[in-house]
Amino acid sequence: MGKIDYKKKFKELYQPKTEPSVIDVPEMKFIQIDGGGNPNEENGEYQTAVETLYALSYAIKMMPKSGSTPPDYFDYVVPPLEGFWWLADSDEFDYSSKSKFCWTSMIRQPEFVTEEVFTTACEITAKKKPHLNLSIAKFVSFAEGLCVQCMHQGSFDDEPMTLAKMKVFMSEYGLESDLSDIRRHHEIYLSDPRKVDITKMKTVLRYPVRRTL
């Protein structure tokens, strides 16, 4: 069996169309790190969190080479970086207030990953990258539930236009915002802004909703 690529196997989660649609997101496993502040700050909290997430994720992927293959292990492509975003003092997400951002950065993990596997990954990473603070990372499992999602193409700063289209869709289909302390504005990053022309970047936007009808 070849590598499992979650983006291809679960196209409904990672390859939505550029028109909004409804999805009921199932339970998945993640490594997460919480933080705040401008994600563009060089060597800032967000960039350190992303480095830590990838270090742990690749430690799990490469475990067979370190002699500690987890039960039911299978080869796979590390899933894309994702994030929940919000402002502590506002119900709506304001893209111009980057210094006030609160976020949870995360990477999905394969089904075989357990708390024990995560602990082993932390031990491996601590030896290879002792400068990272692994205590801020956590292993979680949750179902996101009912959402509206849409593929956004272009700059992150232009996301409000796609979100506006999603909100029109919500009103037309008997849905309303279900943003809360446990349900957040969600982004999945399918493009690396360092390598892709800004006009061709693809980001999945996902918005928690509930039915009104």
Side-chain angles (χ1 to χ4, degrees):
M1 184 177 69
K3 291 182 182 180
I4 290 181
D5 187 336
Y6 284 86
K7 298 189 302 298
K8 295 178 180 178
K9 184 175 180 180
F10 300 99
K11 290 184 178 181
E12 70 278 11
L13 295 173
Y14 300 102
Q15 302 291 336
K17 297 183 178 181
T18 54
E19 292 300 321
S21 60
V22 179
I23 185 168
D24 193 351
V25 184
E27 184 172 355
M28 292 179 276
K29 298 178 178 182
F30 293 89
I31 297 176
Q32 293 183 335
I33 295 178
D34 298 325
N38 189 338
N40 299 323
E41 181 183 351
E42 189 173 355
N43 299 317
E45 188 176 349
Y46 180 78
Q47 293 189 9
T48 300
V50 171
E51 179 187 1
T52 303
L53 289 171
Y54 274 111
L56 290 168
S57 296
Y58 275 98
I60 292 172
K61 174 179 168 59
M62 304 304 291
M63 275 184 178
K65 293 188 176 181
S66 65
S68 54
T69 305
D72 301 320
Y73 178 92
F74 53 82
D75 197 8
Y76 62 98
V77 177
V78 171
L81 180 70
E82 306 185 32
F84 292 129
W85 297 86
W86 69 99
L87 297 176
D89 58 354
S90 174
D91 291 335
E92 291 298 323
F93 192 62
D94 180 0
Y95 286 81
S96 66
S97 301
K98 291 182 173 60
S99 64
K100 297 180 180 179
F101 283 178
C102 299
W103 42 262
T104 296
S105 192
M106 58 193 187
I107 294 179
R108 182 180 181 175
Q109 301 302 310
E111 291 74 13
F112 66 80
V113 178
T114 62
E115 192 69 45
E116 183 179 359
V117 171
F118 172 67
T119 299
T120 301
C122 289
E123 293 169 352
I124 294 170
T125 305
K127 294 177 182 178
K128 292 185 175 181
K129 298 194 173 185
H131 65 286
L132 295 177
N133 176 14
L134 303 179
S135 67
I136 61 175
K138 57 187 176 182
F139 177 65
V140 302
S141 179
F142 66 92
E144 195 172 1
L146 192 68
C147 297
V148 167
Q149 68 177 11
C150 188
M151 182 70 79
H152 171 74
Q153 295 183 326
S155 167
F156 297 137
D157 290 336
D158 291 336
E159 287 181 10
M161 290 186 289
T162 301
L163 281 172
K165 184 165 60 174
M166 293 165 68
K167 290 180 179 179
V168 170
F169 173 89
M170 288 160 54
S171 65
E172 291 176 347
Y173 285 86
L175 302 165
E176 63 182 12
S177 169
D178 196 28
L179 287 173
S180 69
D181 290 343
I182 57 173
R183 305 197 74 201
R184 306 290 192 185
H185 168 91
H186 188 173
E187 301 183 357
I188 304 174
Y189 307 106
L190 303 180
S191 307
D192 186 340
R194 299 169 300 178
K195 301 177 181 178
V196 177
D197 184 286
I198 195 169
T199 61
K200 297 180 180 179
M201 290 200 310
K202 292 184 177 181
T203 307
V204 179
L205 300 186
R206 195 176 286 162
Y207 201 90
V209 297
R210 59 177 174 261
R211 299 191 186 278
T212 58
L213 300 179

